[in-house]
Amino acid sequence: MADAASRLTSVAEQMLGAPLPMRIRAWDGSQAGPPGAPALVIRNRRALRRMLFKPGELGLARAWVAGDLDIEGDLYTALEALAGSVWERGEDARPLTRALRDPEVRAAGRELLRLVGPPVPPAPPREEVRRRRHLHTRRSDSRAISHHYDVGNDFYELVLGPSMVYSCAYWEDGGSLESAQRDKLELVSRKLGLTPGQRLLDVGCGWGSMAIHAAREHGVRVVGITLSQEQAAYARKRVADEGLTDRVEIRVQDYRDVVDGPYDAISSIGMAEHVGAERYLEYASNLYGLLRPGGRLLNHQIARRPQRDESTYEVDRFIDAYVFPDGELAPIGTTVTQLERAGFEVRDVESLREHYARTLRRWVTNLEDGWGRAVRLTSPGRARVWRLYMAASALAFERNRIGVNQVLAIRTPDPGASGLPLRTRTWNT
């Protein structure tokens, strides 16, 4: 009988209908596939059982998080190969139901069953969130935010670096991650036109970086809100260390519960992805109501590509189960429309897609350089989640599968004076 790697390669190629662009190294020490290519390391038969009982992305993710599956060689090259074979076959790819009518595919399935061993479904890794309907209530949003952000501030310090900014940086050639994040905060400040004495609401304030920058560099008074207790405690300490407690207030508060407007400006940086499609108009309307006439909103948000049939959109199963429970992405056109429906005048949209790809690669490097400490601070599974999530996201930005945009919107007064200069892109000079 052929070795496990050769048998698995044959099964995979039959099911994909194409050559496998990676090597396979199996639990019995056998290898098969293109010489010099990255290897998919299948450490045990349990990895196959995970993929059999949850075919597709979630089964692969469970095997990866549990350590049953690994990559040997460059992670980005391996993910590029897997993306082309598994995740990016397009809407016209042959459906599984039709593929199973193919006698060769069915034979490959029987061969896989022989390789799997006892057909007992393994329990999901403990890092997985149980799937549920996306309600986006205050309680469910709080739980989702806690899952993602209450991993531990020390872990985020390791990954994000001293800036503690968890959104894409704004890069100049040759700059450091810290300087690029500072430039991003300044870009947001300039788009909002911040001046001393104004009030800024920072929605989803994270560890306080935007609030501190706006207060220290532009003399504004800031209210920062987050649903994460750990973030809030960290941000308050940073504010105190900077001597800014008279100008910055950090609250654990849902955006729907903020009632102390009006504000002169609102920043929402990397928060709106958590809102959900059903709640997005409510989110936009709430922010509109909190702004004074003439006030500005800067909404910084990841976007996905639109689908030909939007009713078929499904949340990424790996991201939903392990990274951002209940997170949803929308096309940029949908976001702009919802902001306009809430009453905003959208004045500027800037794509920072390549900036986020570069930022994510730096975060992956930080994680890999501090791998042993990252595992001690969280768990081997959690560290593996973050490595896969950030590396795969970097490639998704590079390949234009997802993007990120800053949308500047105004609560334009009835007379129609926006308060913006005739040439708005002066903030980029």
Side-chain angles (χ1 to χ4, degrees), residues 34 52 78 120 182 218 265 268 289 304 353 394 404:
L52 178 67
V120 179
R182 184 175 60 250
H218 296 275
S268 179
R304 62 175 171 85
R353 179 170 64 83
V404 62

Side-chain angles (χ1 to χ4, degrees), residues 271-289:
M271 176 272 176
E273 298 88 343
H274 298 285
V275 170
E278 292 185 5
R279 299 282 186 179
Y280 203 91
L281 183 58
E282 177 187 11
Y283 157 81
S285 298
N286 281 12
L287 299 192
Y288 183 86

Side-chain angles (χ1 to χ4, degrees), residues 329-351:
L329 301 183
I332 179 59
T334 302
T335 296
V336 168
T337 296
Q338 294 289 64
L339 291 172
E340 289 183 330
R341 288 181 64 198
F344 283 105
E345 179 190 6
V346 172
R347 294 300 302 257
D348 187 80
V349 178
E350 182 176 6
S351 172

